[in-house]
Amino acid sequence: MKRFVYVNDDDSSHELYCDNRISNRKYTLLNFLPKNLWEQFSRFMNQYFLLIACLQLWPLITPVNPASTWGPLIFIFAVSATKEAWDDYNRYLSDKKANEKQVWVVRQGSKKLIQAQEIHVGNLVWLRENDEVPCDLVLLGTSEPQGVCYVETAALDGETDLKTRNIPPACMGIDSELLHKIKARYGYRGVMECPLPDKDIRRFDANVRLFPPFLDNDVCPLSIKNTILQSCYLRNTEWACGVAVYTGNETKMGMSRGVAEPKLTAVDAMIDKLTGAIFIFQIVVVIVLGIAGNIWKDTEARKHWYVLYPEEGPWYELLIIPLRFELLCSIMIPISIKVSLDLVKSLYAKFIDWDKQMIDVETGTSANATNTAISEDLGQVEYILTDKTGTLTENKMIFKRCCIAGTFFGNENGDAVKDVELLNAINTGSADAIRFVTVMAICNTVVPIKRNYYSASGTVLYKAQSQDEEALVRAAASLHMVFVNKNSNILEINFNGSLKQYEVLEYLEFTSDRKRMSVVVRDCDKGNIMLLSKGADETILPCASAGHQTKTFSDAVDQYAQMGLRTLCLGWREVNEAEYQDWSFMFKEANSTLVDREWRVAEVCQRLEHDLDILGVAAIEDRLQDGVPETIETLRKAGINFWMLTGDKQNTAIQIALSCNFVSPEPKGQLLLVNGKTEDEVCRNLERVLLTMRITKAEPKDVAFVIDGWALEIALKHYRKAFTELAILSRTAICCRVTPSQKAQLVELLKSCDYRTLAIGDGGNDVRMIQQADIGVGISGREGLQAARAADYSIGKFKFLKRLILVHGRYSYNRTAFLSQYSFYKSLLICFIQIFFSFVSGVSGTSLFNSVSLMAYNVFYTSVPVLVSVVDKDLSEKTVMQHPQILYYCQAGRLLNPTTFAGWFGRALFHAIVVFAITIHSYAFEKSGLEEVSMVALSGCVWLQAFVVTLETNSFTILQHVAIWGNLVVFYIINWIVSAVPQSGMYTIMHRLCRQPAYWNTMFLIVAAGMGPVLALKYFRYTYKSSKINILQQAERVGGPILSLGNIEPQPRSLLDSDLAPLSISHAKNARNSVFEPLLSDSPNALRRSFGPDFFHSHSPYSRNKDM
Amino acid sequence: MDQKNKTSKKPKNSKFSQQELPAWKPILTPGWVITSFITIGVLFIPTGLLALSASDNVVEIVDRYDEGCIPDSYSQKAESYIQNPNQNKTCVRTLRVPKKMVAPIFVYYQLEKFYQNHRRFVKSKSDKQLRDADAQDDTHNCFPEDYTADNKPIVPCGLIAWSLFNDTYKLSARGKAINIDKKGIAWKSDMEAKFGSNVYPKNFQKGTLIGGGKLDERIPLSEQEDLIVWMRTAALPTFRKLYGKINTDLESHETITAEVENNYNTYKFGGRKKLVLSTTTWIGGKNDFLGIAYISVGGLCLFIAINFILLYVFRPRRLGDPSYLSWNRQPIV
């Protein structure tokens, strides 16, 4: 299937293709209510509550007032519907903003300003500099004579450099006036044949055919190079125009946007599972009691004449008793749990928003939890997938060191620009130094912005395709070689006050294959022609003139690479006029070929780039963000595995990985490379790496694998199983040159292995991975807010991740674990009492408690005290930070799983027995009035739960005291008041009870008998079978030296600080052949890891708790 | 828009929002736990003894009469005996006072295996009708005892009232009748607020099926104390309800003759009927449970405390010893 686009077609495609309206909305005004209700009712718990509520409308079987279920149910539904509506409204607003943006479009032969949403396929769209591209366009013309324009694709793929886009060769030379006049249907003046919309942002296989009056009547192929895609920005180009080929949600951006599925946390899933288990238990209880009830009715109840059972009942008679029990037991699944959880979850989110320690001081942005529902998952993260540029690094390139003609600069103070020797060398006119700086200043495609030249600040702003070039130009400027102006082909350099001019003759562009770029310039003063080159060491050094000693430079490159710096080699040579003229002719010819142009051009370039004089090596630092190595180290100690997914080059990725503790330095670490261009190669590599992994698995080695995008594509497609195994085996991975969708695929892969994943990124290219992961964290960084907007959490700096996970995630998990299990406990407690009561009430399904008590028990007495567990802290933040290993308890779900739940279940059963037995025995005979017994049992439950909360609370703030003891007081006040109402069933009951010593004796007895064994058991476990949490608690409260003892022997923090770090990562050269390369020569007796996958005894993170 | 959001989202700066509220963080230290167990034990055992002695001071006479009040000739067909309205059902029981009983002495009837808490039974009444003379038609919970055959509302309606207990007791000692005071046996609050002083029984026990006792239609419900007592349904199948009070002391070893009119049918379901005379103390009637439970819980606590002390002495364990943290141990390979 293809789509045919007629250039500047106003009307024909309107009905064929959608317009450019972007819609992320989920609902419309009309379908909101049904759709939302449908969605809510697709959840099991809600169906259950609805069923119960409906059954309660039948007075024959309801034990309590139906309002006690309907009220909370409607409330819950209203709350979540309102929330959904609000979210959808905000989506609508942001869509509207994008849709109503004004753009210039050719209509009826002239440019008109219309709203972005009115663009149709085939429209001719005009963009000016810095405009955002409203839809996917095929370029037809630009302001530049060469037919190029520059776009910033950061929002799309996260790459911040400017990219060149060309107009198709067939359209070369059409002037802008003529473009206006292209009109479809005048004999099809331009037809484009495009594939159906897809999400591949690297591929666009189309062709265009132009008819007279355009000269070219042949089919001309189009590639992605001829397109500018939605959400990119036009830069450094006055104007550009193109034909809309994909619009609205059919653009490449729109297709890859994907619908963000609502995320369910592991805790939620566990709660659902437990709910299911309770439900089954409940059904069993109901069936058993129902059968027992019917048997009792038939054998016994008819003898009890005062009950007056009719001889013949209705057809549904057999169902009545089971249904009554169903309603009686329906409180086993607490309806309040959803409300309580929603409430505390939004409070967790608020705590994140409020956290002062997560405010980025530089920008003043605070952390923000967009998704308020998944804080617990933060505490259960097992894998962190991180972007590199802008996430780990600041995305600010800075020239740091250089080696000029064998002399190292910047080694002393770490900053070559401030190195006095270098400044001296330049001032004294050292030829090498000056040439080096000149190359830095002019061998680039940087554009200085003129308007700032005379501004007060006096600094020149540079616009660069690559951040590296910008860094070099800036550094040159601080070394008194200021690139001040670019006037078409004349470059003006201000060197120590004197103005020098160079005429650029040719640009030999940078491509990822060539890995170098050169300029041919003519010195306007002297008239000589020079070739200035810069590029990666492996492409520049081989071009050195014969006999030129390059050893010092390659050593320098190695040394800098070990420090995690990006290196560029700079070289030059003089070209004589004749050579240039010959070459220039060939170059022009190559540039105008249609077939294999890039290859031809590269070949021609190579003919000039030889016999270079290597001037030196420049080292550029992409500075790591503050605290990144520490954060990664801490989180790795916490048992979290890190994967780095970057669109960047392998070398850079590995360098950064090393410098931020991503990969443990040798001897602990080992890097395994997986690459290859063909299936066979990849397969072989993969198998070899796997083998090595399996061997080293037993050793406490930190093995990481490195894979590039191409190999990844093949691996995911053909060797998914092997790759999955690799993913499971490896704690660390570096994936370079990966596309946004590959990032998402990797997340998907890890998720399919049942790991909790967290994706963190800052750019538009991370959006999919962020949405895909269990938790998406966006850094509100320099690449805009796109990632932050799509993410569940946005933070200002990577380092806040530590606090987000260890403090907020951990606390949230602990609190929810307690809260949810406690909710089940208290419901089970009261439900068990009801069940026991049914044994003494002729299995007839009588409710011991009245409606008011039941509702108040769920809504007030037991909900309020436990809600304050949102400020409970088992360990202080400091202790957690010092012992990140403690996170394991959250990761492995040690605090909320069937085992712990069984404990709570048992406790509920035990407490129910205690309450019921004590109540019916101490309130027997003449005191056995139903209302009194009911109130005594209820008081017993409320007392017990107060002590249960007390026992499970780790830190008592004023809030806890108020909530726990205040709640008990409120219980008496409420019941005192209700007891004063003559109409109520329990009129005067509470007044009578409070006057009886037997009542208070019963309460104390219940508390002592209920809590004694629980306390004893807890104390025993706490002291003699203590968990790590308990030990840390004890240590923390007792105080003492543990805090320092607990630290693991420090690892080298930042390699930048220690030039001595003995690493050799010359992977770039021998990467092709070697499958793995140790970071350092083999050292078998290396220090063993003091922690590792098995640091918690036998618990390997790879063998997940399967009974969860 | 974004700017606005940013300013409004500025973090609140309070101890609560920063989760830094000053907190008391107790842990379960041996001292603390052992002390509390000992305290509970020390407090509970004397309290239990006190409760036990109080219960012991209560003098209680219990006489089961349901079997004894059936003449031998009817022993196989007790039901037809009890259902025969023409039969004289008076029966004489002899009770012995074991210890001196000080007034007030409470007279109870005790029913066993009687499910006043059955779901059909417990709901079968109309609070509104009992309270309000105008609401005599409010009988929707009372089926099948809501309307008579000719469709007149029954007051009081429902199974509870219909099954009113109707055995009567007359006590005498040494030939002299002991007055049983039947005033003030119901809760005052019930008489004032739950049962209307202008609501009179109507169409009660007029149907084909006669349940229990009948009511004097000239006396308003608020004065029908037996009914009020009966309608405070019991939570357990074994229960006692107050029949009356004796305001004179009964001497030790006195023989009391109880003339029981055995009207109420418990034979159909094998329930028992007992006549109970009992004094009371601060803890209520005779009930050893609290005392025994207190002593056993107290004993258990002391036992636990002793065990913990022994554990503490013989297996001491330093609190918060960092060497227990597995990651502080170097794994041995």
Side-chain angles (χ1 to χ4, degrees), chain B residues 277-296:
Chain B
L277 273 67
S278 173
T279 58
T280 179
T281 61
W282 60 271
I283 203 158
K286 194 171 190 67
N287 190 345
D288 291 344
F289 173 78
L290 268 183
I292 293 168
Y294 258 77
I295 291 168
S296 23

Side-chain angles (χ1 to χ4, degrees), chain A residues 59-63 296 300 302-310 324 351 353-357 359 365-366 368 785 789 808 815 837 840-842 844-846 871 873 876 883 885-886 918 920-923 925-933 954-957 959 961 982-985 987-989 992 997-998 1001 1004-1005 1008-1009 1012 1015-1016 1018-1020 1022-1024 1026 1028 1031-1032 1034-1038 1042 1045-1046 1089-1090 1095-1097, chain B residues 1-2 6 9-13 16-30 32-34 36-37 40 44 47 108 110 113-123 131 144-145 159 162-163 187-190 193-194 209 211-212 232-240 264-266 268-269 282-287 289-290 293-294 297 300 304 308 311-312 315 317-322 324-331 333:
Chain A
L60 185 66
I61 57 169
T62 180
W296 197 88
E300 285 290 318
R302 293 195 202 282
K303 293 187 204 154
H304 290 257
W305 55 268
Y306 50 90
V307 181
L308 218 64
Y309 254 117
R324 274 185 198 155
F351 280 139
D353 293 353
W354 287 333
D355 197 331
K356 263 199 307 191
Q357 292 183 52
I359 301 176
T365 45
S366 56
N368 180 27
L785 288 169
R789 248 185 245 134
H808 291 287
R815 291 161 182 173
F837 181 68
V840 300
S841 65
S844 59
T846 318
V871 293
K873 292 175 160 184
S876 73
H883 300 276
Q885 293 90 339
I886 208 71
I918 291 179
I920 64 166
H921 281 105
S922 63
Y923 272 75
F925 301 124
E926 75 279 3
K927 285 189 281 194
S928 67
L930 186 60
E931 296 289 347
E932 283 117 305
V933 170
N954 296 295
S955 61
F956 292 87
T957 66
L959 289 175
H961 288 302
Q983 279 79 17
S984 81
Y987 180 50
T988 71
I989 296 292
R992 279 167 206 280
N1001 276 342
F1004 297 139
L1005 185 64
L1015 176 67
K1018 179 157 180 176
Y1019 166 75
F1020 182 77
Y1022 194 84
T1023 316
Y1024 297 99
S1026 27
K1028 308 292 173 291
I1031 293 170
L1032 286 180
Q1034 293 160 359
E1036 184 184 295
R1037 315 288 148 88
V1038 173
I1042 176 166
L1045 264 172
R1089 263 197 304 193
S1090 53
F1095 69 89
F1096 272 100
H1097 307 304
Chain B
M1 177 79 186
D2 274 350
K6 251 175 214 164
K9 273 180 192 160
K10 206 158 200 181
K12 279 205 322 197
N13 194 0
F16 172 71
S17 66
Q18 300 304 316
Q19 306 190 61
E20 280 168 354
L21 285 172
W24 173 54
K25 300 176 171 180
I27 52 166
L28 298 173
T29 58
W32 196 89
V33 172
I34 292 169
S36 39
F37 274 117
I40 295 172
F44 266 45
T47 317
Y108 300 102
Q110 177 172 334
K113 272 188 86 178
F114 191 99
Y115 290 91
Q116 267 207 319
N117 55 13
H118 195 278
R119 185 156 184 308
R120 272 178 74 86
F121 188 81
V122 82
K123 295 216 153 192
R131 190 167 51 236
E145 286 302 316
L159 292 174
W162 177 71
S163 62
W187 289 359
K188 246 185 130 183
S189 58
D190 280 355
K194 297 244 168 207
L209 255 177
R232 277 242 152 247
T233 46
L236 302 172
T238 299
F239 59 89
R240 285 174 188 177
Y264 204 67
N265 182 5
T266 57
K268 184 164 183 180
F269 52 87
W282 60 271
I283 203 158
K286 194 171 190 67
N287 190 345
F289 173 78
L290 268 183
Y294 258 77
V297 169
L300 188 74
I304 291 173
F308 280 156
L311 257 180
Y312 181 70
R315 242 189 93 188
R317 197 175 153 114
R318 227 183 93 209
L319 278 186
D321 191 336
Y324 292 126
L325 295 172
S326 57
W327 59 81
N328 277 344
R329 286 182 226 141
Q330 293 285 318
V333 182

Side-chain angles (χ1 to χ4, degrees), chain A residues 401 411-412 414 562-564 621 624 629-630 659 1051-1061:
Chain A
R401 292 165 200 233
N411 272 9
E412 284 81 44
Q562 283 161 24
M563 298 174 201
E621 182 192 11
L624 284 184
E630 290 85 349
S659 63
Q1051 299 176 357
R1053 285 278 155 95
S1054 160
L1055 295 169
L1056 285 171
D1057 296 337
S1058 55
D1059 286 352
L1060 301 170

